[in-house]
Amino acid sequence: MPDVTPGPAADRARYDRATAHLDAPLAVVDLEAFDANAADLVRRARGKPVRVASKSVRCRTLLERVLARDGFAGVMSFTLAESLWLARSGIDDVLLAYPSADRAGFAELAADPKLAQSVTVMVDDVAQLDLVDAARDGGTQEIRVCLELDTSLRLLGGRVRIGALRSPLHSPTRLAELARAVTRRPGFRLIGLMAYEGHVAGVGDDAPGNWARSRGVRLMQRTARRELAARRAAAVHAVRRVAPDLEFVNGGGTGSVQHTAAEDAVTEVAAGSGLFVPRLFDHYTSFTGRPAALFALPVVRRPGVGVVTVLGGGYPASGAPGADRLPQPYLPEGLRYDGQEGAGEVQTPLLGAAADDLLVGDRVWFRHAKAGELCERFAELHVIEGDRVTGSFPTYRGEGQTFL
């Protein structure tokens, strides 16, 4: 069957037509692409539920849209304040993916039966339990707890470490020790285990023009998947001996959904970036998604031949600084940053032959390097269906929420 996916030129014409009545800067979500990406995540999850990572979406309406689909269940949040807000909004299964020091939030959680039933907090240290207890302010609700296993790959006796610096709990033995501490402590209930393999799920393994690096990444990821599958299974076994009624074991991420879902020890997978498919998720052998979230900046100057200047544009993504953290000038194709200015706070020059076809008032479409961080810049996402804007969805920012 021939590929009928629209090409970049057709997408640009469609986006320009759809938003012609709107002033840029603006951000859009292509709903057909978003839904197709959601369906692909469900397919790759092989029947296990997908918990949607809210930090990669940051739009409550889109979170609710995804959760209404078969194959998705629950939210993975990034702050306690966000978790409580989502729970109060009607989402009844929120896993906080990071430990918190929000004392006011813990006091609210410990005082409200509905919130305490809906929100699960992340723990990898007894000191975090102490902080919760000190913050209860008289609240007596039992706090649901998830433990995090460090997924990093350690080689040469631990002298080489590959993976994010997250939990200190690397061995099944240490995880089980903390599990015992939680189960012995009044006011807490251990209900889950999480292990996020970011060095597998969040690192592209098909870098264009760099065969050696791609091969090295794939070798590292195969080794990491094998090592982690065995260690995760052992960790789950050790923790279940302490807490046999675990409700879930969460793992994965957009780039490793199908691999993680294949592990018997895992009961659910997490994903979020795969819904928007930002530029950092372009080069994977495990999946191909469709860009679903973009922003447009207006051309406001034409400084010379082969140059246009757009308004704003300095929207770097988090992570180690580098060119790959900058938004990608996407449509029209063939534009690039000026090496002296890059993406600017108030203006961004763009170079390339395509600049000569752009007039003042035209727009350039960009893709953010990461997913949900785009929504920190815009109050709403204009919804594109076909070649029409059919509405707009407020982002967290548009609802007055700035969690982090």
Side-chain angles (χ1 to χ4, degrees):
M1 183 176 179
D3 183 4
V4 295
T5 302
D11 279 338
R12 179 193 174 199
R14 185 163 59 89
Y15 298 149
D16 282 347
R17 283 196 305 272
T19 62
H21 62 294
L22 300 171
D23 287 330
L26 58 86
V28 303
V29 57
D30 184 331
L31 209 57
E32 180 182 343
F34 181 88
D35 288 343
N37 293 335
D40 186 62
L41 287 172
V42 171
R43 177 189 63 80
R44 292 196 287 132
R46 305 181 182 191
K48 291 185 177 177
V50 179
R51 184 181 291 273
V52 60
S54 64
K55 77 175 184 65
S56 300
V57 180
R58 302 192 200 199
C59 171
R60 189 158 55 106
T61 309
L62 287 175
L63 290 175
E64 291 168 350
R65 182 182 183 88
V66 165
L67 291 174
R69 298 180 65 101
D70 289 341
F72 284 87
V75 168
M76 178 179 284
S77 60
F78 63 100
T79 70
L80 181 55
E82 180 209 15
S83 304
L84 301 177
W85 179 66
L86 291 175
R88 287 193 299 267
S89 301
I91 296 176
D92 61 6
D93 181 3
V94 183
L95 169 62
L96 176 57
Y98 305 87
S100 177
D102 181 352
R103 290 173 295 180
F106 283 129
E108 186 177 354
L109 182 65
D112 189 311
K114 181 181 183 301
L115 295 179
Q117 182 57 38
S118 300
V119 175
T120 301
V121 304
M122 190 62 60
V123 170
D124 58 35
D125 191 312
V126 171
Q128 294 152 0
L129 301 176
D130 295 339
L131 191 151
V132 174
D133 274 338
R136 284 180 181 270
D137 193 27
T140 59
Q141 294 301 312
E142 188 175 60
I143 304 300
R144 292 161 57 88
V145 169
C146 176
L147 305 184
E148 181 172 4
L149 174 70
D150 170 37
T151 65
S152 63
L153 175 64
R154 300 185 182 183
L155 305 171
L156 302 178
R159 292 190 295 276
V160 174
R161 183 185 189 282
I162 302 172
L165 290 164
R166 293 177 60 110
S167 169
L169 307 174
H170 188 263
S171 70
T173 299
R174 289 201 61 194
L175 201 69
E177 288 172 356
L178 184 56
R180 281 189 286 272
V182 174
T183 58
R184 291 169 180 167
R185 190 157 180 157
F188 297 91
R189 181 157 63 97
L190 177 57
I191 60 97
L193 190 156
M194 186 186 86
Y196 169 60
E197 56 267 37
H199 51 300
V200 179
V203 178
D205 63 350
D206 191 20
N210 197 332
W211 174 86
R213 182 183 187 281
S214 297
R215 184 174 181 180
V217 169
R218 286 195 287 271
L219 176 62
M220 176 276 290
Q221 290 179 342
R222 283 196 298 270
T223 303
R225 287 198 303 267
R226 286 195 298 268
E227 186 276 336
L228 179 59
R231 184 160 51 87
R232 180 155 42 200
V236 172
H237 177 73
V239 171
R240 285 195 184 278
R241 292 183 64 182
V242 178
D245 297 326
L246 282 184
E247 295 178 14
F248 64 85
V249 176
N250 180 281
T254 287
S256 66
V257 164
Q258 65 268 43
H259 300 297
T260 308
E263 296 182 29
D264 291 338
V266 172
T267 66
E268 63 175 40
V269 292
S273 295
L275 295 168
F276 282 167
V277 187
R279 64 171 296 199
L280 285 179
F281 285 80
D282 277 350
H283 306 299
Y284 284 73
T285 57
S286 60
F287 81 104
T288 301
R290 292 173 55 183
L294 303 95
F295 65 95
L297 301 178
V299 174
V300 292
R301 287 177 170 163
R302 290 172 50 85
V305 176
V307 186
V308 293
T309 301
V310 296
L311 183 68
Y315 308 156
S318 59
D324 65 341
R325 301 290 145 167
L326 296 179
Q328 174 194 25
Y330 180 52
L331 301 172
E333 295 182 286
L335 296 173
R336 66 184 186 279
Y337 290 115
D338 175 73
Q340 298 300 311
E341 295 195 46
E345 177 187 7
V346 293
Q347 70 164 38
T348 298
L350 297 170
L351 314 180
D356 292 329
D357 295 325
L358 291 169
L359 304 176
V360 170
D362 287 347
R363 56 196 50 176
V364 176
W365 293 91
F366 290 77
R367 296 171 63 200
H368 205 272
K370 297 181 76 174
E373 293 179 20
L374 165 67
C375 291
E376 297 300 313
R377 301 286 181 168
F378 294 91
E380 60 185 349
L381 296 171
H382 296 285
V383 179
I384 292 182
E385 297 185 74
D387 61 358
R388 295 186 306 120
V389 167
T390 58
S392 63
F393 296 158
T395 62
Y396 281 7
R397 173 177 173 172
E399 294 200 67
Q401 305 296 332
T402 52
F403 296 114
L404 194 62

